[in-house]
């Protein structure tokens, strides 16, 4: 099954790259203060476009929130 | 009278220098205006932030946009239960914010939010090796604090009491001992309930105080933020001034000669 987990929730894998998946959520290369981890490792912003997504991948998209 | 600041009055954490010795959290305010006004009233230069998954329906207003560069953010690893989670969270924070410092939290007890010293040490060493300035939130234990400093922590942040409890500094002696012995600045983190707690932390020798709930959940957060600013400054000045020794009996402050009737 070609699914991917995004922020802990499984969904069909429809994006070819990290950049494609982010773009579908309104996050572009210039969106400030967003970071991404693929399978537990940070994907630098400069690598978003060239990092492919594969079935079974685990992607986390984070940003700062209010907190102590 | 305005006391002039000396170089001793500047707080140095790693390569960063601050005039304010109060770090303020950004969580739990009644609204955004109360948060921004509290930050301003506190005089803080450092505000903490959590790193969390974005909601999947899209990108909204970021904390960064809201703060608009008013303060330096100190990302935390709140909620992490292992060194591995905390290290990744710190690395994500660095990527998101371009900041190489972190308030390192590794929680060992979800109920009390008590630090897991073993995992904390491990994460500290890993992040220091990765180039981070690490400020670990830790227990008020002298040996743990020393080990964290030995592992390269830029400061240690012992708790006064559990996060959000407002119980104040439950073991002032432990904090005082840590302050006396620590090779790195000691920042009292967690447990502050009111202004006198913050002043006490500074009088015990802390270099700074980090608090959140005492301000954000106060009836009037902005006024409490101002109180905390004053308390930290008062405690710092008192510490620098040198308190008088405690004595068992009285020591008259008026002349003993020339009394009428003598």
């Amino acid at each position: 099954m070609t699914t991917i987990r995004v922020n802990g929730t499984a969904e069909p894998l429809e994006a070819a790259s990290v950049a494609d998946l982010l773009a579908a959520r309104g996050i572009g290369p210039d969106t400030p203060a967003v970071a991404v981890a693929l399978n537990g490792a940070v994907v630098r912003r400069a690598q978003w476009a060239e990092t492919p997504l594969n079935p079974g991948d685990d992607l986390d998209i984070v940003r700062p929130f209010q907190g102590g | 009278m305005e006391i002039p600041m000396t170089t001793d009055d500047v707080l140095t954490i790693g390569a960063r220098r601050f005039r304010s010795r109060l770090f303020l959290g950004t969580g739990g305010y009644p609204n955004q205006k109360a948060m921004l006004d509290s930050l301003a009233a506190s005089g803080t230069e450092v505000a903490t932030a959590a790193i969390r998954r974005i909601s999947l329906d899209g990108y909204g207003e970021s904390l960064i946009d809201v703060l608009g560069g008013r303060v330096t953010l100190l990302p935390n690893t709140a909620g992490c239960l292992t060194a591995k989670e905390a290290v990744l969270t710190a690395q994500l924070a660095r990527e998101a914010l371009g900041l190489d410092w972190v308030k390192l939290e590794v929680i060992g007890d979800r109920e009390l939010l008590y630090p897991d010293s073993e995992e904390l040490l491990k994460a500290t060493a890993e992040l220091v090796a990765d180039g981070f300035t690490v400020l670990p939130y830790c227990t008020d234990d002298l040996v743990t604090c020393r080990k964290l400093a030995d592992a390269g922590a830029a400061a240690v942040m012992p708790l006064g009491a559990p996060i959000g409890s407002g119980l104040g500094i439950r073991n002032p002696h432990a904090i005082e001992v840590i302050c006396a012995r620590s090779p790195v600045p000691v920042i009292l983190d967690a447990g502050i309930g009111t202004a006198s707690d913050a002043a006490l932390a500074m009088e015990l020798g802390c270099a700074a105080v980090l608090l959140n709930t005492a301000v954000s959940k106060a009836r009037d957060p902005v006024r409490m933020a101002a109180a905390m600013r004053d308390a930290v400054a008062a405690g710092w000045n008192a510490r620098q001034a040198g308190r008088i020794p405690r004595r068992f009996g009285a020591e008259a402050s008026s002349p003993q000669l020339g009394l009428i009737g003598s």
Side-chain angles (χ1 to χ4, degrees), chain A residues 15-28:
Chain A
S17 69
V18 168
D20 288 348
L21 186 141
L22 293 174
R25 287 175 165 77
I27 299 168

Side-chain angles (χ1 to χ4, degrees), chain A residues 35-59:
Chain A
V36 170
L38 181 61
N39 301 322
V42 174
V43 182
R44 303 295 307 270
R45 189 172 285 254
Q47 265 77 59
W48 285 356
E50 61 203 56
T51 303
L53 293 174
N54 295 299
D57 275 350
D58 214 330
L59 192 78

Side-chain angles (χ1 to χ4, degrees), chain B residues 91-139:
Chain B
Q91 290 168 339
L92 282 166
R94 177 170 64 185
E95 174 67 11
L97 297 166
L99 294 167
D100 63 354
W101 73 334
V102 63
K103 170 184 163 179
L104 185 63
E105 284 186 49
V106 189
I107 297 305
D109 186 288
R110 286 180 202 247
E111 193 96 0
L112 287 171
L113 300 178
Y114 246 61
D116 182 327
S117 299
E118 199 179 348
E119 292 292 302
L120 192 61
L121 262 168
K122 199 171 141 193
T124 298
E126 281 183 38
L127 288 170
V128 167
D130 193 18
F132 278 86
T133 296
V134 182
L135 291 72
Y137 161 67
C138 57
T139 52

Side-chain angles (χ1 to χ4, degrees), chain B residues 8-9 21 199 202-203 206-207 231-241:
Chain B
D8 290 347
D9 291 326
R21 291 176 178 271
M202 301 307 290
E203 288 170 9
C206 290
V232 167
W236 171 254
N237 279 326
R239 173 74 185 188
Q240 299 311 303

Side-chain angles (χ1 to χ4, degrees), chain B residues 175-194:
Chain B
I175 297 296
E176 192 168 23
V177 165
I178 291 166
C179 291
R181 301 276 294 276
S182 178
V184 295
V186 178
I187 303 174
L188 195 287
D189 182 8
I192 299 289
T194 188

